[in-house]
C-alpha cells in the first residue's frame, strides 16, 4: 500500500529534528509549499521540489525510494499512455540531486515580470545551443564518449566547503564520475553549485559545456514554471566566453551584464526597479554563469580573475585547461572556493573502434591499409562493438588495429594524438568524409616523425577538406549558387587574416565580432578610410543638390563639391580620430535600440534629459567641425573663381564670419537633431540579435532609420535655425546674407551629407560597410561579402556561433590559421605577449 506523501514527509522531517523553517532554509523551498505538501493540500506535486526536500533532510536511499513511491505509486512498468512523464515518475528514486543553493539558498520568489524575462532568456539560450549542437554534428553518428574523473584534490576545495557544512559537519562522499549522458545529474549533486571542468586542449570541454546547459534547462523545467509560483525561480545557465574578461578593470557582475546586453539586446529594457533586465536578472541571482575558457584569460590576469571569483559565493561552472588553472591556483594559494572539480579523460582505442568506422560514408578496400600498417594489421575488425562493417570492412580497420597493438613508434605517436575529441573529429573530417584519402598514411613514420607533425597535419588539412570543390546544388528556384568560397587556398587566407586579427599584444581573443573586423587596420588607415568615405558622401550630395537648387555652372559646381567634400571629410576624420583614440573604437558597438515613430519609453536607458544632453554634445562637436571645414572650402572656391588672393583682408574677414556663422548653425542644428532622435528609440526585438547575421541585419535597419530621421531633421534645423542665428548675429556683426535659396542649399547639403557621413563614420554598420566591405576586400584580406563568407564558414563547421559573435570551432585551429597567415606575410611581426608576473616568487 502506498504511503501518504504528506504524512511520510512530516515523519521524515520530525526524524531529522528539523522545523519547517529550517527545511525551507536548507532546500530553498518556501515554508508555504512545505506546509501544503505535509497537510496534503497540494495535489500538483513537482518532482524537483520533493528532491530538494529529500536533500535538505539528508535522506538515505531507502527513504528516498519510499518518498518516490509515495509521490508516484509503486515502481513498475509505465503505462503506454503515460508517456515520458509516467516513466520518469515510476522509476526508482534517483541519486541525490539538488538545485545548487549556496549561502543565498532562501531566495524569495521574484516578480512575474522578471520571471518572464528569465523564461524568455532560457528559451533563447536553449534554441541557440540546440542549433549549435546540431551544427557541430555532435550526434553524427553518435556523440564521442566524453568522460571524466574527479579533479586532483589540490585543485578543488575541501569536501566540507563544497557541501557548505557548518562547524563539525561530516561531509558525505560525492560521486562525480560520469560521462556526457549525465552532465546535469553530476552537477546537481554538488550542494554549492560551483564546479570546475578541467581538460587538455581539444578534450571536449566545449561539448560538455553545451550538453550541461541543455540538460540543466531540460531538468529544471525552466520554461514551464507557472507565473506567481512560490518556489524559487531556477537559474538560467548562460555560457560566457570568459577570455575577454579583464578582472583588473571590470567587475564580474558588470562584465556579465555587458555580455548579456550584447548577445541578448532585448534585455536592455528597463522593467524592474529602474535597472535593465540584464542587470536585474544577474542581481536577482537568476543567471547561472557557465564561464568557458579560464585559460584564455591573459596569463597576468588569471590570479586576479580567480581572486574575483573567490570573492563570490554564487553557483557557477568554470572550464579551463588543467595546467593554466593549476598555475593560477598556485599563484593565488587557493583553488576556486566551494568548488568541486572534474577532469576530462582521454579517449581509448575501443572508443575509436566504436566511432571511426561508422563515420565512413563510402565503402573502400582495406588492402592498402594492411600494407601501410605493417604485419598483422589486416586481420579484419578488432574486438568491440562498432568495429565490424560487414564483408567489405572499413578503411579505419588497419589503423585501429595498430592503435591497439602499438607495435611501432609510429603507432604509439598516432595513439597519443587520437586521444582527444578535437583530433578525432579532424581525422574523421580529413579521411572519413573524403573518399580519396586513406587514413593509413597517418602511420607513415617518415612523413610524421613526431606527435607535433601529426597534429599540424590534421590541423592543416581541415580547412582544405571542408572547402574542397563540390558540384553546387541548385536551389528551389532552379538557380545555381555562386561558389566564391570554394577555393581552399583563398578561404584559408581569409580565415588566417581573421585569426590573426584576434591576436593582441597582451592576449589572444576568441570572439570574432563583425563590427570589430576593421580593428585589424591601423588607426591611421581607418582614419584615412573614413576621411575618403565622408568626403565622397559630401561631394556627391553637393553635386546632386547643387544641380537641383542652384544656377551654378557645371565647372563651378564640380569645383565647389570637390572642395566642400574633402574639407568636411577632414573634419569628420579628425573627430573620428579623437573618438577612436579616446575610446579605442568601443563606442561604435551595435546599437541596442531601434527607431520608431512612437515616443520613447522611460525604461530604455538613462533619463531623457541626460540622453538628450549627451547626444546634443556629440552633434555639437561634429557639426562645429563640419561648419569650419565648409567655411574654409567656400573661401578657397571663391578665391579660385574670382582670382582673389587668400591673404586679402576682405577674404580673411569673410572667412572668419563664415566660420562663425556656419559653425554656429551646423553645431547647434546637429546637436538638436541628434538629441531629438532619442525620442524615437525603442528596444530591439527579442530575435533581433539571435545570430551575428541577425544582429548585422538589425543594425543595418536601425542605421537606415537613423539616416531617414537625421537627414530631414538636420536639413530643417540648418535651414530654419540658420535664419534665426543669422538674424541674431546681424545685430552684432552687421549685414549678413542668408537667402532662401542659400538656406535650402546649405541645409540640404549639410543635412543629407552630414547624416550620411555620421552613419558611415560613427555607427557599427557604417564602419562595417567602409572597412569590412570596402577597404579589406580591396586589399585582398577578406572577400567582397564577408557576412556571407562568415556564415558559410559557420555552416562548414570552421566557425561556431556564440550569441552575436562567431568563434573558431577550436582554439587550436585558430592558433594554427593565425600562425600560418603570419608565416605567409612576413611584414607582420609575431605577436609578443606580456611575460608572467614574478611578484611573490
Amino acid at each position: 500500500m502506498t504511503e501518504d506523501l504528506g504524512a511520510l514527509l512530516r515523519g521524515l522531517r520530525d526524524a531529522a529534528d528539523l522545523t519547517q523553517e529550517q527545511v525551507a532554509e536548507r532546500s530553498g523551498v518556501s515554508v508555504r509549499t512545505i506546509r501544503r505538501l505535509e497537510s496534503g493540500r497540494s495535489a500538483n506535486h513537482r518532482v524537483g521540489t520533493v528532491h530538494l526536500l529529500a536533500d535538505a533532510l539528508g535522506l538515505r536511499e531507502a527513504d528516498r525510494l519510499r518518498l518516490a513511491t509515495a509521490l508516484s505509486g509503486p515502481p513498475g512498468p509505465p503505462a503506454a499512455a503515460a508517456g515520458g512523464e509516467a516513466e520518469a515518475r515510476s522509476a526508482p528514486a534517483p541519486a541525490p540531486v539538488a538545485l545548487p543553493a549556496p549561502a543565498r539558498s532562501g531566495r524569495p520568489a521574484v516578480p512575474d515580470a522578471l520571471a518572464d524575462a528569465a523564461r524568455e532568456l532560457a528559451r533563447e539560450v536553449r534554441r541557440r545551443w540546440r542549433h549549435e549542437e546540431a551544427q557541430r554534428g555532435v550526434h553524427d553518428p553518435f556523440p564521442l564518449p566524453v568522460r571524466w574523473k574527479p579533479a586532483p584534490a589540490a585543485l578543488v576545495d575541501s569536501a566540507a566547503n563544497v557541501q557548505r557544512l557548518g562547524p563539525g559537519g561530516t561531509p558525505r562522499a560525492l560521486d562525480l564520475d560520469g560521462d556526457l549522458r549525465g552532465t546535469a545529474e553530476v552537477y546537481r549533486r554538488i550542494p554549492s553549485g560551483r564546479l570546475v571542468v578541467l581538460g587538455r586542449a581539444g578534450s571536449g570541454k566545449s561539448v560538455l559545456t553545451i550538453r550541461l546547459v541543455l540538460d540543466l534547462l531540460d531538468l529544471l523545467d525552466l520554461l514551464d514554471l507557472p507565473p506567481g509560483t512560490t518556489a524559487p525561480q531556477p537559474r538560467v545557465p548562460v555560457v560566457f566566453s570568459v577570455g575577454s574578461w579583464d578582472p583588473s578593470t571590470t567587475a564580474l557582475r558588470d562584465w556579465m551584464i555587458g555580455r548579456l546586453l550584447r548577445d541578448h539586446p532585448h534585455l536592455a529594457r528597463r522593467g524592474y526597479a529602474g535597472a535593465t533586465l540584464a542587470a536585474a536578472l544577474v542581481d536577482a541571482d537568476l543567471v547561472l554563469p557557465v564561464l568557458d575558457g579560464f585559460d584564455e584569460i591573459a596569463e597576468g590576469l588569471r590570479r586576479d580573475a580567480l581572486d574575483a571569483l573567490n570573492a563570490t559565493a554564487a553557483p557557477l561552472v568554470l572550464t579551463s585547461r588543467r595546467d593554466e588553472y593549476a598555475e593560477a591556483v598556485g599563484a593565488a594559494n587557493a583553488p576556486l572556493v566551494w568548488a568541486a572539480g572534474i577532469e576530462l579523460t582521454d579517449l581509448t582505442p575501443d572508443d575509436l573502434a566504436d566511432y571511426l568506422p561508422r563515420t565512413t560514408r563510402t565503402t573502400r578496400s582495406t588492402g592498402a591499409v594492411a600494407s601501410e600498417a605493417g604485419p598483422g594489421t589486416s586481420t579484419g575488425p578488432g574486438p568491440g562493438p562498432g568495429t565490424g562493417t560487414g564483408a567489405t570492412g572499413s578503411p579505419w580497420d588497419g589503423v585501429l588495429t595498430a592503435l591497439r597493438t602499438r607495435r611501432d613508434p609510429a603507432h604509439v605517436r598516432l595513439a597519443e594524438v587520437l586521444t582527444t575529441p578535437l583530433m578525432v573529429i579532424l581525422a574523421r573530417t580529413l579521411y572519413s568524409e573524403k573518399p580519396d584519402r586513406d587514413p593509413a598514411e597517418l602511420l607513415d613514420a617518415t612523413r610524421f616523425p613526431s606527435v607535433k607533425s601529426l597534429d599540424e597535419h590534421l590541423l592543416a588539412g581541415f580547412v582544405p577538406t571542408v572547402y574542397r570543390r563540390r558540384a553546387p546544388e541548385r536551389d528551389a528556384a532552379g538557380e545555381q549558387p555562386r561558389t566564391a568560397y570554394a577555393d581552399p587556398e583563398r578561404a584559408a587566407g581569409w580565415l588566417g587574416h581573421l585569426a590573426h586579427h584576434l591576436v593582441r599584444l597582451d592576449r589572444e581573443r576568441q570572439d570574432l565580432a563583425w563590427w570589430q573586423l576593421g580593428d585589424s587596420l591601423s588607426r591611421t588607415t581607418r582614419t584615412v578610410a573614413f576621411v575618403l568615405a565622408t568626403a565622397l558622401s559630401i561631394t556627391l550630395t553637393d553635386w546632386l543638390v547643387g544641380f537641383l537648387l542652384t544656377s551654378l555652372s557645371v565647372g563651378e559646381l564640380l569645383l565647389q563639391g570637390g572642395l566642400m567634400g574633402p574639407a568636411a571629410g577632414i573634419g569628420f576624420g579628425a573627430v573620428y580620430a579623437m573618438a577612436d583614440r579616446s575610446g579605442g573604437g568601443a563606442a561604435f558597438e551595435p546599437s541596442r535600440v531601434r527607431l520608431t515613430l512612437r515616443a520613447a519609453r522611460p525604461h530604455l536607458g538613462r533619463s531623457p534629459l541626460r540622453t538628450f544632453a549627451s547626444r546634443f554634445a556629440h552633434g555639437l562637436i561634429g557639426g562645429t567641425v563640419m561648419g569650419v571645414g565648409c567655411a574654409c572650402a567656400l573661401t578657397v572656391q571663391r578665391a579660385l573663381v574670382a582670382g582673389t588672393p587668400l591673404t586679402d583682408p576682405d577674404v580673411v574677414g569673410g572667412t572668419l564670419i563664415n566660420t562663425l556663422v556656419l559653425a554656429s548653425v551646423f553645431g547647434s542644428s546637429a546637436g538638436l537633431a541628434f538629441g531629438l532622435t532619442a525620442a524615437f528609440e525603442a528596444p530591439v526585438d527579442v530575435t533581433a540579435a539571435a545570430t551575428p547575421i541577425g544582429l548585422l541585419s538589425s543594425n543595418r535597419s536601425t542605421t537606415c532609420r537613423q539616416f531617414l530621421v537625421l537627414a530631414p531633421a538636420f536639413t530643417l534645423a540648418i535651414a530654419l535655425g540658420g535664419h534665426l542665428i543669422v538674424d541674431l548675429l546681424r545685430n552684432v556683426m552687421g549685414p549678413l546674407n542668408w537667402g532662401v535659396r542659400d538656406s535650402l542649399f546649405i541645409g540640404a547639403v549639410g543635412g543629407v551629407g552630414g547624416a550620411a557621413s555620421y552613419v558611415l563614420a560613427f555607427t557599427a554598420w557604417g564602419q562595417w560597410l567602409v572597412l569590412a566591405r570596402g577597404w579589406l576586400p580591396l586589399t585582398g584580406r577578406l572577400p567582397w561579402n564577408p557576412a556571407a563568407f562568415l556564415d558559410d564558414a559557420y555552416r562548414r563547421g570552421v566557425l561556431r556561433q556564440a550569441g552575436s559573435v562567431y568563434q573558431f570551432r577550436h582554439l587550436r585551429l585558430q592558433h594554427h590559421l593565425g600562425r600560418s597567415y603570419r608565416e605567409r606575410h612576413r611584414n607582420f611581426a609575431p605577436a609578443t605577449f606580456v611575460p608572467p608576473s614574478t611578484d611573490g616568487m
Side-chain angles (χ1 to χ4, degrees), residues 260-513:
L260 286 173
L261 290 174
R262 185 198 70 181
D263 295 337
H264 307 275
H266 67 285
L267 296 180
R269 298 196 303 267
R270 292 181 180 263
Y272 179 69
T276 63
L277 289 177
L281 288 171
V282 172
D283 291 340
D285 200 16
L286 295 180
V287 173
L288 172 64
V290 181
L291 306 176
D292 187 25
F294 177 83
D295 53 281
E296 295 161 18
I297 297 177
E299 184 175 358
L301 298 175
R302 290 177 195 148
R303 176 176 178 175
D304 291 341
L306 190 56
D307 289 341
L309 294 175
N310 283 340
T312 70
L316 60 86
V317 178
L318 182 71
T319 74
S320 176
R321 297 185 189 179
R322 172 177 169 168
D323 292 343
E324 285 81 349
Y325 180 74
E327 290 177 4
V329 169
N333 295 317
L336 182 63
V337 296
W338 301 306
I342 59 176
E343 183 175 4
L344 302 186
T345 57
D346 290 343
L347 298 175
T348 67
D350 287 341
D351 295 331
L352 303 186
D354 289 338
Y355 183 79
L356 286 174
R358 290 178 58 180
T359 64
T360 305
R361 299 295 188 250
T362 57
T363 301
R364 298 177 287 190
S365 172
T366 59
V369 177
S371 62
E372 292 284 352
T377 58
S378 59
T379 57
T387 58
T389 56
T392 58
S394 164
W396 289 100
D397 288 347
V399 173
L400 294 172
T401 302
L403 295 179
R404 286 191 295 267
T405 59
R406 303 193 182 193
R407 297 177 180 177
D408 187 89
H411 303 174
V412 176
R413 287 194 291 269
L414 183 59
E416 183 177 346
V417 169
L418 297 181
T419 54
T420 63
L422 168 60
M423 304 313 291
V424 173
I425 293 298
L426 292 176
R428 167 214 173 129
T429 303
L430 197 57
Y431 294 102
S432 291
E433 299 177 10
K434 201 169 183 181
D436 58 337
R437 298 293 296 270
D438 190 344
E441 68 183 29
L442 294 172
L443 300 171
D444 189 338
T446 303
R447 286 186 61 188
F448 309 114
S450 65
V451 169
K452 182 178 180 181
S453 62
L454 279 168
D455 284 343
E456 290 299 316
H457 167 69
L458 293 175
L459 288 167
F462 179 69
V463 171
T465 299
V466 298
Y467 279 93
R468 64 184 181 272
R469 296 186 181 277
R470 301 173 180 172
E473 298 179 358
R474 297 184 181 276
D475 58 21
E479 297 181 0
Q480 184 168 297
R482 297 177 59 187
T483 56
Y485 315 122
D487 186 340
E489 185 174 353
R490 296 178 68 192
W494 295 329
L495 290 169
H497 168 76
L498 294 174
H500 171 74
H501 149 71
L502 295 175
V503 175
R504 293 296 181 92
L505 292 180
D506 61 339
R507 72 180 72 185
E508 187 162 6
R509 298 174 298 170
Q510 194 174 3
D511 289 347
L512 189 60

Side-chain angles (χ1 to χ4, degrees), residues 767-829:
Q767 293 189 10
W768 155 269
L769 186 65
V770 173
L771 301 178
R773 295 220 59 178
W775 198 281
L776 289 172
L778 278 173
T779 56
R781 302 178 201 180
L782 286 181
W784 286 107
N785 191 343
F789 173 70
L790 292 172
D791 187 60
D792 180 68
Y794 165 66
R795 298 183 185 282
R796 292 176 185 265
V798 181
L799 302 177
R800 69 174 183 175
Q801 289 181 0
S804 59
V805 299
Y806 290 106
Q807 295 175 346
F808 279 92
R809 181 71 69 187
H810 302 286
L811 194 58
R812 291 185 66 182
L813 177 63
Q814 176 181 323
H815 290 167
H816 171 79
L817 291 171
R819 183 173 61 252
S820 299
Y821 181 82
R822 289 186 287 274
E823 290 174 353
R824 293 194 302 268
H825 299 78
R826 291 298 181 180
N827 56 318
F828 289 111

Side-chain angles (χ1 to χ4, degrees), residues 630-697:
C630 291
C632 296
L634 287 174
T635 297
V636 174
Q637 175 202 351
R638 290 171 182 173
L640 293 176
V641 172
T644 306
L646 293 176
T647 57
D648 186 276
D650 293 336
V651 174
V652 174
T655 301
L656 292 177
I657 293 174
N658 283 341
T659 298
L660 177 61
V661 172
L662 292 180
S664 301
V665 172
F666 282 17
S668 59
S669 301
L672 184 63
F674 284 106
L676 290 178
T677 55
F680 299 98
E681 291 181 349
V684 296
D685 298 326
V686 63
T687 58
T691 64
I693 298 300
L695 181 58
L696 176 62
S697 177

Side-chain angles (χ1 to χ4, degrees), residues 202-222:
S203 59
K205 296 185 295 294
S206 296
V207 173
L208 183 150
T209 298
I210 295 173
R211 182 40 40 197
L212 172 62
V213 168
L214 292 176
D215 285 350
L216 283 176
L217 288 171
D218 289 340
L219 291 178
L220 295 178
D221 271 338
L222 288 176

